[in-house]
Amino acid sequence: MKEELINKAENHDLNVEDIIKVSSSRDPDISIILQEIKERMSWPTNLVENVDGSIIPPMGMWIDVASEYIVNGYDGLFELAKDENKVRFVIGFLQEFKTSESVNVLLRISDIYSVSSNCQKNTLIKIISGLNRILSFPGAPVIEDSTRSKARELIQESLKLCNSQSEYGNLLCALRGVGDEESIKLISIVPKLVGEWSGTESIVKKAIKNRLKKV
């Protein structure tokens, strides 16, 4: 495993998906290997732009997030997400794990950046996109009704912050996995989506109705 990961890194073939995948076992040895690779490759923890305009991705940050998960689990990721410079990486990491725990942590993170506290629209939209990825497609985890209600309230409250088609579209799509009859009514009064988002409202309503029939 160690040699394989090192070889992929040195050949510039080690990507974020690889890092997330190997961290899923929560094997402490993997964390050590990843940190060794980070040091060996001098990977940055933030975006670096070369003089030629090319971008070096923050692979070092992805390794730090993966290591935090390996060592301290979901609680460690939540603590890391309190840092505004790291929260988007934590969200990106969590959305790759289709578990109820990932949903719960995303919702805990949303409390930090919510409309009623330290409101950061971009972070909230990223969180909701993560929830959409976990809950709106086949293989979604089973979650408590209270968790579904909190996710629904977060999405519907965040709709008030939207001012573009893509923002409305992304948030409406996330209602597929958690919406209810009230959500369907709400969809009918938001600004009509056009262009590439045209028809989103009908798709979301249908998905909600189909899911409610199965409850």
Side-chain angles (χ1 to χ4, degrees):
M1 172 70 78
K2 180 176 181 179
E3 291 303 318
E4 179 184 351
L5 290 173
I6 290 174
N7 287 337
K8 290 191 75 169
E10 291 181 340
N11 291 326
H12 305 290
D13 289 331
L14 188 67
N15 55 40
V16 174
E17 289 76 14
D18 293 325
I19 293 171
I20 294 174
K21 182 177 180 179
V22 298
S23 69
S24 63
S25 66
R26 294 196 61 194
D27 181 348
D29 289 339
I30 296 295
S31 177
I32 295 171
I33 294 170
L34 289 175
Q35 290 296 332
E36 286 181 3
I37 290 173
K38 174 186 171 183
E39 295 301 318
R40 178 184 294 213
M41 302 299 295
S42 299
W43 277 342
T45 55
N46 54 4
L47 282 174
V48 176
E49 183 173 356
N50 292 319
V51 292
D52 63 359
S54 61
I55 298 294
I56 301 176
M59 294 295 286
M61 178 62 74
W62 285 108
I63 282 180
D64 287 348
V65 172
S67 294
E68 184 64 33
Y69 173 70
I70 291 170
V71 176
N72 295 309
Y74 287 103
D75 286 338
L77 291 179
F78 173 70
E79 292 300 320
L80 208 61
K82 293 178 180 179
D83 186 328
E84 296 178 5
N85 295 315
K86 299 177 181 178
V87 62
R88 67 186 181 94
F89 298 97
V90 174
I91 295 168
F93 188 92
L94 285 166
Q95 71 182 18
E96 295 303 320
F97 290 94
K98 286 197 167 188
T99 65
S100 58
E101 291 88 349
S102 287
V103 173
N104 289 331
V105 176
L106 285 171
L107 291 174
R108 289 173 64 194
I109 295 171
S110 75
D111 288 336
I112 302 173
Y113 301 98
S114 71
V115 175
S116 60
S117 56
N118 176 31
C119 182
Q120 293 191 19
K121 182 175 74 172
N122 289 341
T123 298
L124 288 176
I125 290 176
K126 284 184 172 65
I127 291 170
I128 292 169
S129 293
L131 292 171
N132 179 44
R133 186 161 180 164
I134 296 170
L135 296 172
S136 296
F137 300 95
V142 176
I143 59 174
E144 299 288 338
D145 288 343
S146 58
T147 302
R148 195 177 304 278
S149 294
K150 183 171 181 179
R152 180 169 58 249
E153 290 169 7
L154 168 66
I155 297 166
Q156 294 180 171
E157 187 69 16
S158 297
L159 280 168
K160 300 175 183 177
L161 304 174
C162 294
N163 53 25
S164 72
Q165 290 275 300
S166 62
E167 289 174 355
Y168 276 115
N170 278 310
L171 266 61
L172 290 185
C173 284
L175 284 172
R176 289 175 296 179
V178 299
D180 61 6
E181 293 293 345
E182 289 302 314
S183 304
I184 293 173
K185 294 177 183 177
L186 179 61
I187 292 170
S188 299
I189 62 174
V190 299
K192 182 176 177 57
L193 297 177
V194 297
E196 64 179 309
W197 292 101
S198 179
T200 298
E201 298 97 330
S202 297
I203 293 171
V204 173
K205 288 179 182 178
K206 182 178 179 180
I208 293 173
K209 290 176 181 178
N210 287 340
R211 181 176 51 76
L212 292 177
K213 288 178 183 177
K214 298 175 183 178
V215 176

